[in-house]
C-alpha cells in the first residue's frame, strides 16, 4: 500500500525514482551505442563532417530552414560524400498529421507547400554534375514519423542522430530540439 504523504515529499520521491532509473539506463547505454543528448542538431556540422566515401542516410518529417545549411550539403557532395534523402511526400496523409502535431502556427497547407518546395530544391541541387558524391532523393508516405540521420563510413554505420518529442513538437523552432 502507498502511505499518504504530502505533495512535496511525493514529488521528491518520484523525482528520485525517475533519476535513478534514468541514470541506470543511460550509464549502461554506452554498450548499446548511446552517447548522449544534444539540444540541437547542428546540420552544418552534420554535412561538414562528411568526407569522400561517407554516406548520409536522411529521413526527416519536416526540415524548415534548409537555407542555413544548403551550402554545407553541396560542399559535402563536392568532397565525394553521398547522401540518400527520404522526404515526406507533401500529398500524403502523414504530411497533414505532421502539420497538426507542430502547433496551430503551421497550417496543413503551409507544411505541404514547404515540403514540396524543399523537395523541388533538393531535386534541383541533385542535377549538379560537379558533385563527386551521389545525391539520391525519394519521397515517402508512411511512417516512421521520426527524423533519423545515419552516417556510414566505409559502408558501416558509425553514428546516428534522431529526435522525438513527448509534449512539445520539434521543428517548430528549427532546428530540431
Amino acid at each position: 500500500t502507498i502511505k499518504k504523504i504530502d505533495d512535496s515529499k511525493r514529488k521528491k520521491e518520484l523525482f528520485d525514482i525517475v533519476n535513478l532509473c534514468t541514470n541506470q539506463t543511460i550509464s549502461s547505454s554506452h554498450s548499446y551505442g548511446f552517447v548522449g543528448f544534444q539540444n540541437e542538431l547542428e546540420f552544418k556540422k552534420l554535412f561538414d563532417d562528411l568526407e569522400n566515401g561517407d554516406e548520409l542516410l536522411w529521413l526527416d518529417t519536416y526540415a524548415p530552414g534548409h537555407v542555413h545549411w544548403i551550402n554545407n550539403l553541396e560542399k559535402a557532395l563536392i568532397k565525394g560524400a553521398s547522401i540518400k534523402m527520404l522526404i515526406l511526400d507533401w500529398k500524403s496523409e502523414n504530411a497533414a498529421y505532421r502539420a497538426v502535431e507542430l502547433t496551430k502556427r503551421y497550417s496543413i497547407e503551409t507544411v505541404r507547400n514547404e515540403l514540396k518546395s524543399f523537395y523541388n530544391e533538393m531535386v534541383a541541387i541533385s542535377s549538379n554534375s560537379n558533385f563527386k558524391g551521389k545525391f539520391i532523393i525519394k519521397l515517402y508516405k508512411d511512417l516512421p514519423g521520426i527524423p533519423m540521420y545515419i552516417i556510414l563510413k566505409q559502408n558501416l554505420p558509425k553514428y546516428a542522430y534522431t529526435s522525438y518529442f513527448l509534449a512539445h513538437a520539434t521543428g517548430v523552432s528549427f532546428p530540431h530540439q
Side-chain angles (χ1 to χ4, degrees), residues 86 137 139 158 175:
L86 288 172
I137 301 144
L139 293 172
K158 289 309 260 182

Side-chain angles (χ1 to χ4, degrees), residues 58-61 84-92 94-95 111-112 114-123 136-144:
W58 166 292
L59 181 146
D60 199 329
T61 56
K84 293 180 179 173
M85 191 174 276
L86 288 172
I87 299 172
L88 182 59
D89 188 333
W90 62 91
K91 300 176 299 274
S92 70
N94 279 327
V111 171
R112 288 188 191 279
E114 289 185 14
L115 284 168
K116 183 178 182 180
S117 175
F118 179 70
Y119 173 79
N120 289 334
E121 194 162 350
M122 294 302 111
V123 168
I136 299 168
I137 301 144
K138 295 189 177 190
L139 293 172
Y140 76 97
K141 294 180 181 187
D142 296 320
L143 295 176

Side-chain angles (χ1 to χ4, degrees), residues 17 24 37 59 71 98 104 134 152:
I17 291 169
Q24 288 175 342
F37 294 101
L59 181 146
N71 292 333
R98 184 64 175 137
K104 292 180 174 134
K134 293 179 185 175
L152 304 163

Side-chain angles (χ1 to χ4, degrees), residues 1-167:
T1 63
I2 297 176
K3 295 181 193 174
K4 185 176 180 176
I5 58 176
D6 68 64
D7 284 346
S8 63
K9 284 185 179 180
R10 179 66 68 209
K11 285 179 185 177
K12 183 183 178 341
E13 180 183 18
L14 290 173
F15 181 81
D16 291 344
I17 291 169
V18 169
N19 260 349
L20 176 65
C21 293
T22 302
N23 289 335
Q24 288 175 342
T25 301
I26 291 175
S27 67
S28 66
S29 62
H30 282 279
S31 60
Y32 299 105
F34 179 77
V35 176
F37 294 101
Q38 289 184 229
N39 286 333
E40 295 180 359
L41 178 57
E42 297 177 40
F43 283 94
K44 288 180 181 181
K45 184 173 176 5
L46 178 71
F47 294 111
D48 290 346
D49 288 348
L50 294 173
E51 299 293 335
N52 183 33
D54 292 351
E55 185 173 35
L56 169 62
L57 305 177
W58 166 292
L59 181 146
D60 199 329
T61 56
Y62 186 62
H66 60 281
V67 295
H68 300 292
W69 48 259
I70 203 144
N71 292 333
N72 307 77
L73 177 146
E74 290 177 309
K75 288 176 189 172
L77 291 164
I78 290 168
K79 284 193 288 188
S82 293
I83 299 169
K84 293 180 179 173
M85 191 174 276
L86 288 172
I87 299 172
L88 182 59
D89 188 333
W90 62 91
K91 300 176 299 274
S92 70
E93 284 185 60
N94 279 327
Y97 297 148
R98 184 64 175 137
V100 171
E101 289 173 347
L102 287 172
T103 69
K104 292 180 174 134
R105 292 186 338 181
Y106 290 89
S107 70
I108 292 171
E109 182 180 347
T110 298
V111 171
R112 288 188 191 279
N113 289 339
E114 289 185 14
L115 284 168
K116 183 178 182 180
S117 175
F118 179 70
Y119 173 79
N120 289 334
E121 194 162 350
M122 294 302 111
V123 168
I125 290 169
S126 72
S127 65
N128 185 335
S129 60
N130 295 325
F131 296 148
K132 192 173 168 186
K134 293 179 185 175
F135 189 22
I136 299 168
I137 301 144
K138 295 189 177 190
L139 293 172
Y140 76 97
K141 294 180 181 187
D142 296 320
L143 295 176
I146 180 171
M148 292 180 260
Y149 317 91
I150 303 169
I151 292 78
L152 304 163
K153 294 192 178 280
Q154 298 176 342
N155 295 321
L156 296 172
K158 289 309 260 182
Y159 53 96
Y161 300 96
T162 190
S163 72
Y164 63 92
F165 65 91
L166 299 175

